[in-house]
Amino acid sequence: FVPRRVSLVLGAMATLALFWGVFDQVFLTWALRTADSVSQQVDARIAPDIERPLDPRRAGSAASLIDWQDLGQAGRTYVSSGPTPSDLAAFGGTQAPIRVYVGLNAAETPEARAELALRELERVGAFDRTVLLLVTPTGTGWMDPAALDTVEYLQRGDIATVAMQYSYLPSVLALPTDGAYGAESARALFRVVYGHWTRLPKAARPALYLYGVSLGALNSDLSFDLHDIIADPFSGVLWTGPPFRGEHWRAVVANRHPASPVWRPRFGDGGVVRVMNQEGGLEQGEGTWGPFRIAYLLYGSDPMTFFSVDSFYREPAWMRAPRAFDVSPALRWFPIVTTVQLIADMAVANTAPPGYGHVYAAEHYIDAWLALMEPEGWSAQDVTRLKALCAARR
């Protein structure tokens, strides 16, 4: 009934559709359930070298509203680490920073976990600090200590951070499977914390910032709408290593100043959005950086940020001259081959030395936080001393 060539094409399409349906509904579902089960068991395991906090002001302590077990592996590591009061005292710090974390098992829904986070923030006096940082973690709940330790040093301990877990899976699996759930979780936490923050007296409330790295940056970007905050904007955001899927990041690249490279685009007059890499960039802008600030920290050698399906058939813009200094001049573009190379690079992006690939170095976080927050009292000598300390502890 159908010409032979047409029937062959239709038959091939039907076969592929049937194969994909079986693969997606049977094999892939089984594989993801297995990965989720294994990751859940790893998340529940309490490492013997991490002890429950004794300080009642810490999340997970006996006085906390969040049980130690319910923090999850990443949460327990997070609340048990960071600069100590003696560490901070070397840079003029007078108090211990506040760290609040809500694990996936702490409550049934993202909304319930967000409300729990707010009550814990109130319990430990987080809204009395100078800065409140709302952090969106990666897929496993992990947050980059290079980012959080440095901002606590720069604020001399006068800061509170809060985060909420939304998955057990690594980001490479959570991105295609739990992506919508991660955004939902980030929105729930933002709505609750921002809603409470707006009800506080403006003269007495902390400066509110957002932060996320990798998948955390993507979901943090999706946690709020500019139309919802325009009447009472918070202070700003730092998004590190934004994934190539991020709509706002793609818009910045697409609408950049023609003279600026794709790996450090200049957007508008720099009054709201600025981008930096290892060589800086947040200090640049034709206009004054306003009270609401969006900062991107990224590396030209980060495949998570610069992967593109278009590289199958077209040389990507980041490979054209001028290239970022950390992209090899020997790298050449080939149809299909380059895309396969980038996929392989993404699989090992976290194995690069700090300051390259998808591993962001503390010294670059220090520069980003200084430009974004402008903490007072930091001399060039103090900044150099802090960078040396971070590099020695790496």
Side-chain angles (χ1 to χ4, degrees):
F1 299 100
V2 180
R4 178 176 176 79
R5 290 184 179 181
V6 177
S7 65
L8 287 174
V9 173
L10 293 177
M13 293 174 62
T15 302
L16 288 172
L18 178 63
F19 173 78
W20 176 251
V22 172
F23 179 81
D24 184 37
Q25 297 299 321
V26 179
F27 176 76
L28 189 59
T29 299
W30 170 83
L32 289 174
R33 285 179 178 173
T34 301
D36 184 74
S37 177
V38 171
S39 300
Q40 185 176 8
Q41 294 176 38
V42 171
D43 186 74
R45 187 177 67 86
I46 299 179
D49 59 335
I50 298 180
E51 298 182 355
R52 186 179 188 181
L54 299 176
D55 187 344
R57 294 170 297 180
R58 287 204 174 232
S61 66
S64 175
L65 302 177
I66 306 163
D67 188 80
W68 177 241
Q69 178 68 41
D70 291 341
L71 286 175
Q73 186 180 59
R76 287 187 290 271
T77 301
Y78 168 63
V79 301
S80 302
S81 59
T84 65
S86 59
D87 293 333
L88 294 166
F91 293 89
T94 58
Q95 55 189 324
I98 292 172
R99 292 187 169 191
V100 170
Y101 191 95
V102 180
L104 194 55
N105 286 324
E108 289 293 327
T109 65
E111 292 75 18
R113 289 193 291 276
E115 291 291 346
L116 181 60
L118 176 60
R119 295 200 303 273
E120 182 75 352
L121 287 171
E122 292 180 297
R123 184 188 73 84
V124 297
F127 292 98
D128 296 327
R129 295 299 173 99
T130 298
V131 172
L132 175 60
L133 183 63
L134 202 163
V135 181
T136 304
T138 61
T140 59
W142 178 83
M143 295 171 296
D144 194 348
L148 301 179
D149 292 354
T150 52
V151 73
E152 288 174 344
Y153 271 109
L154 292 171
Q155 293 296 336
R156 295 186 171 88
D158 189 14
I159 181 174
T161 58
V162 57
M164 197 166 81
Q165 186 183 17
Y166 55 85
S167 173
Y168 299 120
L169 296 173
S171 293
V172 68
L173 294 178
L175 183 60
T177 58
D178 287 347
Y181 191 65
E184 178 188 4
S185 179
R187 281 193 291 266
L189 183 60
F190 177 81
R191 281 196 299 266
V192 169
V193 174
Y194 174 77
H196 179 81
W197 179 81
T198 57
R199 293 190 292 271
L200 298 174
K202 290 187 177 182
R205 68 190 184 187
L208 178 62
Y209 291 90
L210 273 60
Y211 163 73
V213 60
S214 191
L215 184 58
L218 176 65
N219 288 323
S220 177
D221 189 2
L222 297 172
S223 67
F224 69 96
D225 191 300
L226 288 175
H227 296 94
D228 296 330
I229 67 166
I230 195 167
D232 193 2
F234 54 92
S235 296
V237 304
L238 174 60
W239 290 323
T240 304
F244 62 92
R245 278 182 48 187
E247 292 184 7
H248 288 167
W249 165 244
R250 292 205 304 264
V252 169
V253 172
N255 297 287
R256 69 187 185 278
H257 192 284
S260 64
V262 67
W263 42 267
R264 200 170 73 184
R266 283 190 288 124
F267 183 79
D269 66 353
V272 176
V273 179
R274 295 188 182 184
V275 181
M276 72 167 285
N277 64 356
Q278 300 96 319
E279 298 176 314
L282 296 188
E283 72 285 352
Q284 298 178 357
E286 298 174 4
T288 302
W289 211 2
F292 175 71
R293 302 176 174 185
I294 296 177
Y296 287 98
L297 167 60
L298 54 95
Y299 297 154
S301 56
D302 188 347
M304 296 292 190
T305 297
F306 292 106
F307 175 81
S308 173
V309 177
D310 294 351
S311 60
F312 263 114
Y313 56 86
R314 182 171 57 197
E315 182 183 28
W318 59 269
M319 294 186 71
R320 302 174 196 146
R323 290 185 176 185
F325 81 94
D326 51 336
V327 176
S328 171
L331 186 64
R332 296 175 60 193
W333 175 78
F334 297 95
I336 303 177
V337 174
T338 297
T339 305
V340 175
Q341 290 177 322
L342 291 176
I343 292 173
D345 283 346
M346 286 196 291
V348 296
N350 287 321
T351 64
Y356 300 91
H358 202 54
V359 183
Y360 288 83
E363 56 265 32
H364 302 139
Y365 272 117
I366 291 172
D367 292 335
W369 290 126
L370 283 169
L372 181 68
M373 294 183 169
E374 298 183 351
E376 297 180 354
W378 280 88
S379 65
Q381 292 79 8
D382 290 335
V383 172
T384 300
R385 190 159 57 95
L386 179 59
K387 288 183 177 181
L389 174 66
C390 293
R393 291 182 173 179
R394 201 147 56 201

